[in-house]
Amino acid sequence: MDRVALRGLKARGHHGVFPQERAEGQTFIVDLVLGLDTRPAAADDDLAKTVHYGIVAEEVVAVVQGEPVDLIETLAERIAQACLKHGGVQEVEVCVHKPDAPITVPFDDVTVTITRSRA
């Protein structure tokens, strides 16, 4: 299986369990690795035979900006399901970063990474 990766998609969302997170929002960063067969697209040099990563990026940002959820695990699942709606995508790895998580000690990042595939 071939891979198409999008790294560092940034969007502001209002996800989290604390009222301040919901009210003020924060930046979330998403990395994606889409698994698909790119041979048909490469053979014909045809965008219609692969995944349009620009559209995927817009959809992922819309999920992050959309309906708030408590957990970034839930957010990652919603993103994965949106990616799997694209016909050629057989598998997706989603990593959601929450660099401004409300943690009381110094840290660089909090991430949740999931892998989902067509059943």
Side-chain angles (χ1 to χ4, degrees), residues 62-86:
V63 171
V64 174
Q65 294 173 336
E67 180 184 351
V69 296
D70 288 344
L71 304 177
I72 58 174
E73 292 86 344
T74 306
L75 182 59
E77 185 67 35
R78 288 184 177 181
I79 292 167
Q81 294 310 313
C83 292
L84 289 171
K85 288 182 181 176
H86 290 267

Side-chain angles (χ1 to χ4, degrees), residues 8 14 25 28 39 42 49-50 56 65 79 97 106 111 115:
H14 293 264
F28 293 85
R39 288 174 293 190
K49 295 182 178 180
T50 188
V56 171
Q65 294 173 336
I79 292 167
H97 300 255
T111 65
T115 303

Side-chain angles (χ1 to χ4, degrees), residues 3 20 24 28 30 33 38 40 42 45 49 71 92-93 97 101 111-112 115 118:
R3 304 277 184 233
Q20 183 177 352
E24 296 177 11
F28 293 85
V30 178
V33 180
T38 64
D45 198 27
K49 295 182 178 180
L71 304 177
V92 61
E93 179 181 280
H97 300 255
T111 65
V112 168
T115 303
R118 295 182 183 274

